[in-house]
Amino acid sequence: MMLLQIAVPSHPLTGTVAEWVWLLPVLPLIGFLINGGISLFSSAHIGPSDPDMGHGHADAHDDAHDDAHAVSEAEQHGAHGDDHYAVKPHRYAGVVSIIGPLVLVASFVLAFAIFSEMRSVSMTTPFIQRYFSWMPVGKLQIDAAIQLDQLSMLMVLVITGVGTLIHIFSVGYMKEDPGYPRYFAYLNLFVFFMLVLVLGASYPVLFVGWEGVGLCSYLLIGFWFSEKANADAGKKAFIVNRIGDFGFLIAMFLLFANFGVLDFAGVSVAAHGMAFGGSLVTAICLFMFLGCAGKSAQIPLYIWLPDAMAGPTPVSALIHAATMVTAGVYLIA
């Protein structure tokens, strides 16, 4: 599908590096696809069509057998936590160690270039780029669009900057884990969804990133899923966040029912006609705050956060300290 890129012609950022803003989330997505492909490829062990022929080709499958045995033994003995049981690094660890952090470094460099450009111009309105019509259903007209303003730019710098450091730290921390490519695939995917969350120009696009980071949180908290406690911790985080997301959905339904639009610019204009402190605005804000409470682990939806430490330590740094829990703060703003 050819994407039709439409920017506001009179905006100061038109024709600058800011028009490459779409590449910010795409770079981590590319990292996810490559590392995810490596993870799937390295875990696939295809035997001969005739089982009786397998004994004659044992040498050809030694590496695959050894890797599979190492993964199985590591998971049974808890290789992630037992220093006395070490496994050899994944056979594609070198490639993954380059691709995983490199896409984040590239995103941060681009983000800093856009930030520098924004500082050199006077921005009074957000820079919005529309790529294609996503949900053209009757009165519901939602575009796949990105909005760049001072708040989203600040969040992008935090996500890509802190995310880059945590990716680099993970290279050493997770180097002997048998699920090394899978780990970086999940980490890259999380950054992709977090950037979609803060760059979306409407509540539904933001909600795609909102749900995506919840999915990645579940995958990373339960990364060592062979242990039931870890798997249960991931499920607990996923279920509790769904309660908050229900509130977010109700808030969006109320917005569309009363305003007929769901993009930030349209809602901002329509909101001026609402009664200050009225029942409608209070209901919308409270339902939206329920979503914030779930994602940012606030009372009463904080119960998933202590168990989230079951995941690798870099996950706690990226998701539960630096980025995902700030999604609720971003939504309030």
mmCIF file of all heavy atoms in Angstrom, residues 175-202:
data_model
loop_
_atom_site.group_PDB
_atom_site.id
_atom_site.type_symbol
_atom_site.label_atom_id
_atom_site.label_comp_id
_atom_site.label_asym_id
_atom_site.label_seq_id
_atom_site.Cartn_x
_atom_site.Cartn_y
_atom_site.Cartn_z
ATOM 1 N N LYS A 175 23.980 -12.173 28.233
ATOM 2 C CA LYS A 175 24.801 -12.804 27.191
ATOM 3 C C LYS A 175 24.796 -14.328 27.250
ATOM 4 O O LYS A 175 24.984 -14.986 26.225
ATOM 5 C CB LYS A 175 26.233 -12.282 27.268
ATOM 6 C CG LYS A 175 26.965 -12.623 28.565
ATOM 7 C CD LYS A 175 28.365 -12.062 28.567
ATOM 8 C CE LYS A 175 29.099 -12.377 29.879
ATOM 9 N NZ LYS A 175 30.473 -11.812 29.882
ATOM 10 N N GLU A 176 24.598 -14.926 28.423
ATOM 11 C CA GLU A 176 24.627 -16.383 28.527
ATOM 12 C C GLU A 176 23.230 -16.994 28.612
ATOM 13 O O GLU A 176 23.092 -18.192 28.855
ATOM 14 C CB GLU A 176 25.455 -16.806 29.742
ATOM 15 C CG GLU A 176 26.934 -16.479 29.621
ATOM 16 C CD GLU A 176 27.743 -16.996 30.801
ATOM 17 O OE1 GLU A 176 27.120 -17.391 31.803
ATOM 18 O OE2 GLU A 176 28.976 -16.998 30.716
ATOM 19 N N ASP A 177 22.208 -16.184 28.383
ATOM 20 C CA ASP A 177 20.851 -16.714 28.445
ATOM 21 C C ASP A 177 20.516 -17.410 27.129
ATOM 22 O O ASP A 177 20.777 -16.862 26.047
ATOM 23 C CB ASP A 177 19.853 -15.587 28.699
ATOM 24 C CG ASP A 177 18.493 -16.117 29.108
ATOM 25 O OD1 ASP A 177 17.721 -16.530 28.224
ATOM 26 O OD2 ASP A 177 18.222 -16.135 30.317
ATOM 27 N N PRO A 178 19.949 -18.610 27.176
ATOM 28 C CA PRO A 178 19.620 -19.326 25.932
ATOM 29 C C PRO A 178 18.555 -18.638 25.092
ATOM 30 O O PRO A 178 18.450 -18.893 23.898
ATOM 31 C CB PRO A 178 19.134 -20.697 26.431
ATOM 32 C CG PRO A 178 18.733 -20.475 27.854
ATOM 33 C CD PRO A 178 19.647 -19.415 28.382
ATOM 34 N N GLY A 179 17.757 -17.751 25.702
ATOM 35 C CA GLY A 179 16.733 -17.025 24.959
ATOM 36 C C GLY A 179 17.179 -15.635 24.547
ATOM 37 O O GLY A 179 16.348 -14.731 24.406
ATOM 38 N N TYR A 180 18.468 -15.448 24.319
ATOM 39 C CA TYR A 180 19.052 -14.128 24.036
ATOM 40 C C TYR A 180 18.378 -13.408 22.862
ATOM 41 O O TYR A 180 17.978 -12.242 23.008
ATOM 42 C CB TYR A 180 20.550 -14.315 23.784
ATOM 43 C CG TYR A 180 21.365 -13.052 23.736
ATOM 44 C CD1 TYR A 180 21.618 -12.307 24.887
ATOM 45 C CD2 TYR A 180 21.914 -12.603 22.537
ATOM 46 C CE1 TYR A 180 22.390 -11.160 24.847
ATOM 47 C CE2 TYR A 180 22.688 -11.468 22.486
ATOM 48 C CZ TYR A 180 22.923 -10.737 23.631
ATOM 49 O OH TYR A 180 23.691 -9.595 23.580
ATOM 50 N N PRO A 181 18.220 -14.027 21.682
ATOM 51 C CA PRO A 181 17.558 -13.313 20.575
ATOM 52 C C PRO A 181 16.108 -12.965 20.890
ATOM 53 O O PRO A 181 15.625 -11.896 20.522
ATOM 54 C CB PRO A 181 17.656 -14.298 19.402
ATOM 55 C CG PRO A 181 18.723 -15.258 19.777
ATOM 56 C CD PRO A 181 18.674 -15.365 21.267
ATOM 57 N N ARG A 182 15.404 -13.872 21.548
ATOM 58 C CA ARG A 182 14.004 -13.620 21.918
ATOM 59 C C ARG A 182 13.898 -12.429 22.862
ATOM 60 O O ARG A 182 12.975 -11.599 22.743
ATOM 61 C CB ARG A 182 13.417 -14.880 22.549
ATOM 62 C CG ARG A 182 11.979 -14.761 23.008
ATOM 63 C CD ARG A 182 11.403 -16.130 23.346
ATOM 64 N NE ARG A 182 12.169 -16.798 24.387
ATOM 65 C CZ ARG A 182 11.888 -16.718 25.694
ATOM 66 N NH1 ARG A 182 10.878 -15.968 26.099
ATOM 67 N NH2 ARG A 182 12.619 -17.370 26.575
ATOM 68 N N TYR A 183 14.834 -12.321 23.783
ATOM 69 C CA TYR A 183 14.832 -11.214 24.737
ATOM 70 C C TYR A 183 14.950 -9.872 24.007
ATOM 71 O O TYR A 183 14.183 -8.942 24.254
ATOM 72 C CB TYR A 183 15.984 -11.386 25.727
ATOM 73 C CG TYR A 183 16.235 -10.181 26.601
ATOM 74 C CD1 TYR A 183 15.458 -9.944 27.731
ATOM 75 C CD2 TYR A 183 17.244 -9.269 26.289
ATOM 76 C CE1 TYR A 183 15.668 -8.836 28.523
ATOM 77 C CE2 TYR A 183 17.471 -8.161 27.084
ATOM 78 C CZ TYR A 183 16.684 -7.939 28.196
ATOM 79 O OH TYR A 183 16.908 -6.831 28.970
ATOM 80 N N PHE A 184 15.911 -9.773 23.088
ATOM 81 C CA PHE A 184 16.100 -8.509 22.367
ATOM 82 C C PHE A 184 14.954 -8.232 21.407
ATOM 83 O O PHE A 184 14.620 -7.064 21.152
ATOM 84 C CB PHE A 184 17.444 -8.510 21.635
ATOM 85 C CG PHE A 184 18.566 -7.958 22.463
ATOM 86 C CD1 PHE A 184 19.441 -8.803 23.117
ATOM 87 C CD2 PHE A 184 18.740 -6.600 22.611
ATOM 88 C CE1 PHE A 184 20.467 -8.302 23.904
ATOM 89 C CE2 PHE A 184 19.763 -6.077 23.391
ATOM 90 C CZ PHE A 184 20.629 -6.931 24.041
ATOM 91 N N ALA A 185 14.336 -9.286 20.869
ATOM 92 C CA ALA A 185 13.166 -9.083 20.021
ATOM 93 C C ALA A 185 12.044 -8.434 20.828
ATOM 94 O O ALA A 185 11.411 -7.465 20.382
ATOM 95 C CB ALA A 185 12.707 -10.421 19.432
ATOM 96 N N TYR A 186 11.786 -8.952 22.027
ATOM 97 C CA TYR A 186 10.751 -8.372 22.891
ATOM 98 C C TYR A 186 11.100 -6.939 23.288
ATOM 99 O O TYR A 186 10.229 -6.062 23.319
ATOM 100 C CB TYR A 186 10.576 -9.213 24.160
ATOM 101 C CG TYR A 186 9.986 -10.582 23.957
ATOM 102 C CD1 TYR A 186 10.086 -11.559 24.955
ATOM 103 C CD2 TYR A 186 9.309 -10.913 22.790
ATOM 104 C CE1 TYR A 186 9.534 -12.825 24.784
ATOM 105 C CE2 TYR A 186 8.758 -12.176 22.612
ATOM 106 C CZ TYR A 186 8.880 -13.124 23.615
ATOM 107 O OH TYR A 186 8.334 -14.371 23.450
ATOM 108 N N LEU A 187 12.373 -6.701 23.599
ATOM 109 C CA LEU A 187 12.796 -5.375 24.032
ATOM 110 C C LEU A 187 12.627 -4.356 22.906
ATOM 111 O O LEU A 187 12.153 -3.229 23.125
ATOM 112 C CB LEU A 187 14.262 -5.430 24.492
ATOM 113 C CG LEU A 187 14.648 -4.611 25.728
ATOM 114 C CD1 LEU A 187 13.789 -4.998 26.927
ATOM 115 C CD2 LEU A 187 16.125 -4.813 26.061
ATOM 116 N N ASN A 188 13.030 -4.731 21.679
ATOM 117 C CA ASN A 188 12.841 -3.850 20.524
ATOM 118 C C ASN A 188 11.367 -3.588 20.268
ATOM 119 O O ASN A 188 10.971 -2.456 19.952
ATOM 120 C CB ASN A 188 13.465 -4.469 19.274
ATOM 121 C CG ASN A 188 14.982 -4.436 19.279
ATOM 122 O OD1 ASN A 188 15.619 -5.200 18.557
ATOM 123 N ND2 ASN A 188 15.590 -3.585 20.095
ATOM 124 N N LEU A 189 10.541 -4.627 20.404
ATOM 125 C CA LEU A 189 9.100 -4.467 20.171
ATOM 126 C C LEU A 189 8.487 -3.530 21.203
ATOM 127 O O LEU A 189 7.612 -2.719 20.877
ATOM 128 C CB LEU A 189 8.412 -5.830 20.219
ATOM 129 C CG LEU A 189 6.914 -5.830 19.884
ATOM 130 C CD1 LEU A 189 6.675 -5.398 18.446
ATOM 131 C CD2 LEU A 189 6.306 -7.212 20.120
ATOM 132 N N PHE A 190 8.950 -3.621 22.449
ATOM 133 C CA PHE A 190 8.440 -2.724 23.485
ATOM 134 C C PHE A 190 8.722 -1.259 23.131
ATOM 135 O O PHE A 190 7.842 -0.399 23.259
ATOM 136 C CB PHE A 190 9.061 -3.059 24.835
ATOM 137 C CG PHE A 190 8.761 -2.035 25.893
ATOM 138 C CD1 PHE A 190 7.551 -2.051 26.548
ATOM 139 C CD2 PHE A 190 9.676 -1.028 26.198
ATOM 140 C CE1 PHE A 190 7.250 -1.089 27.503
ATOM 141 C CE2 PHE A 190 9.384 -0.067 27.141
ATOM 142 C CZ PHE A 190 8.165 -0.093 27.798
ATOM 143 N N VAL A 191 9.938 -0.972 22.689
ATOM 144 C CA VAL A 191 10.287 0.407 22.340
ATOM 145 C C VAL A 191 9.439 0.882 21.159
ATOM 146 O O VAL A 191 9.001 2.034 21.123
ATOM 147 C CB VAL A 191 11.790 0.524 22.027
ATOM 148 C CG1 VAL A 191 12.134 1.924 21.549
ATOM 149 C CG2 VAL A 191 12.612 0.180 23.261
ATOM 150 N N PHE A 192 9.192 0.003 20.188
ATOM 151 C CA PHE A 192 8.340 0.360 19.051
ATOM 152 C C PHE A 192 6.954 0.795 19.538
ATOM 153 O O PHE A 192 6.450 1.864 19.155
ATOM 154 C CB PHE A 192 8.211 -0.827 18.096
ATOM 155 C CG PHE A 192 7.037 -0.728 17.153
ATOM 156 C CD1 PHE A 192 7.050 0.166 16.102
ATOM 157 C CD2 PHE A 192 5.914 -1.532 17.340
ATOM 158 C CE1 PHE A 192 5.954 0.264 15.234
ATOM 159 C CE2 PHE A 192 4.820 -1.440 16.485
ATOM 160 C CZ PHE A 192 4.846 -0.534 15.428
ATOM 161 N N PHE A 193 6.332 -0.009 20.388
ATOM 162 C CA PHE A 193 4.990 0.316 20.854
ATOM 163 C C PHE A 193 4.994 1.562 21.747
ATOM 164 O O PHE A 193 4.042 2.348 21.720
ATOM 165 C CB PHE A 193 4.385 -0.866 21.605
ATOM 166 C CG PHE A 193 3.789 -1.912 20.708
ATOM 167 C CD1 PHE A 193 4.218 -3.233 20.766
ATOM 168 C CD2 PHE A 193 2.790 -1.575 19.805
ATOM 169 C CE1 PHE A 193 3.665 -4.197 19.937
ATOM 170 C CE2 PHE A 193 2.234 -2.540 18.967
ATOM 171 C CZ PHE A 193 2.667 -3.857 19.033
ATOM 172 N N MET A 194 6.039 1.749 22.524
ATOM 173 C CA MET A 194 6.110 2.935 23.386
ATOM 174 C C MET A 194 6.212 4.205 22.542
ATOM 175 O O MET A 194 5.617 5.239 22.878
ATOM 176 C CB MET A 194 7.308 2.807 24.329
ATOM 177 C CG MET A 194 7.305 3.824 25.461
ATOM 178 S SD MET A 194 5.951 3.555 26.630
ATOM 179 C CE MET A 194 5.832 5.186 27.366
ATOM 180 N N LEU A 195 6.938 4.136 21.432
ATOM 181 C CA LEU A 195 7.042 5.298 20.545
ATOM 182 C C LEU A 195 5.728 5.557 19.819
ATOM 183 O O LEU A 195 5.354 6.708 19.595
ATOM 184 C CB LEU A 195 8.178 5.083 19.541
ATOM 185 C CG LEU A 195 9.590 5.162 20.131
ATOM 186 C CD1 LEU A 195 10.635 4.730 19.111
ATOM 187 C CD2 LEU A 195 9.896 6.582 20.622
ATOM 188 N N VAL A 196 5.009 4.490 19.449
ATOM 189 C CA VAL A 196 3.680 4.661 18.862
ATOM 190 C C VAL A 196 2.750 5.341 19.870
ATOM 191 O O VAL A 196 1.957 6.221 19.514
ATOM 192 C CB VAL A 196 3.097 3.295 18.428
ATOM 193 C CG1 VAL A 196 1.620 3.428 18.053
ATOM 194 C CG2 VAL A 196 3.883 2.726 17.252
ATOM 195 N N LEU A 197 2.878 4.955 21.129
ATOM 196 C CA LEU A 197 2.039 5.529 22.191
ATOM 197 C C LEU A 197 2.225 7.044 22.291
ATOM 198 O O LEU A 197 1.246 7.794 22.346
ATOM 199 C CB LEU A 197 2.380 4.855 23.516
ATOM 200 C CG LEU A 197 1.473 5.085 24.731
ATOM 201 C CD1 LEU A 197 1.651 3.947 25.736
ATOM 202 C CD2 LEU A 197 1.755 6.408 25.433
ATOM 203 N N VAL A 198 3.460 7.503 22.306
ATOM 204 C CA VAL A 198 3.693 8.930 22.534
ATOM 205 C C VAL A 198 3.638 9.758 21.252
ATOM 206 O O VAL A 198 3.519 10.986 21.322
ATOM 207 C CB VAL A 198 5.054 9.163 23.245
ATOM 208 C CG1 VAL A 198 5.070 8.465 24.592
ATOM 209 C CG2 VAL A 198 6.223 8.714 22.393
ATOM 210 N N LEU A 199 3.709 9.105 20.083
ATOM 211 C CA LEU A 199 3.694 9.854 18.819
ATOM 212 C C LEU A 199 2.332 9.825 18.128
ATOM 213 O O LEU A 199 2.116 10.578 17.173
ATOM 214 C CB LEU A 199 4.755 9.302 17.861
ATOM 215 C CG LEU A 199 6.208 9.615 18.211
ATOM 216 C CD1 LEU A 199 7.158 8.847 17.286
ATOM 217 C CD2 LEU A 199 6.482 11.112 18.122
ATOM 218 N N GLY A 200 1.413 8.970 18.572
ATOM 219 C CA GLY A 200 0.105 8.899 17.940
ATOM 220 C C GLY A 200 -0.622 10.227 18.007
ATOM 221 O O GLY A 200 -0.556 10.949 19.004
ATOM 222 N N ALA A 201 -1.349 10.560 16.925
ATOM 223 C CA ALA A 201 -2.059 11.842 16.858
ATOM 224 C C ALA A 201 -3.509 11.721 17.300
ATOM 225 O O ALA A 201 -4.259 12.692 17.216
ATOM 226 C CB ALA A 201 -1.998 12.402 15.435
ATOM 227 N N SER A 202 -3.919 10.552 17.750
ATOM 228 C CA SER A 202 -5.299 10.355 18.193
ATOM 229 C C SER A 202 -5.312 9.334 19.324
ATOM 230 O O SER A 202 -4.340 8.593 19.523
ATOM 231 C CB SER A 202 -6.183 9.866 17.035
ATOM 232 O OG SER A 202 -5.750 8.596 16.580
#
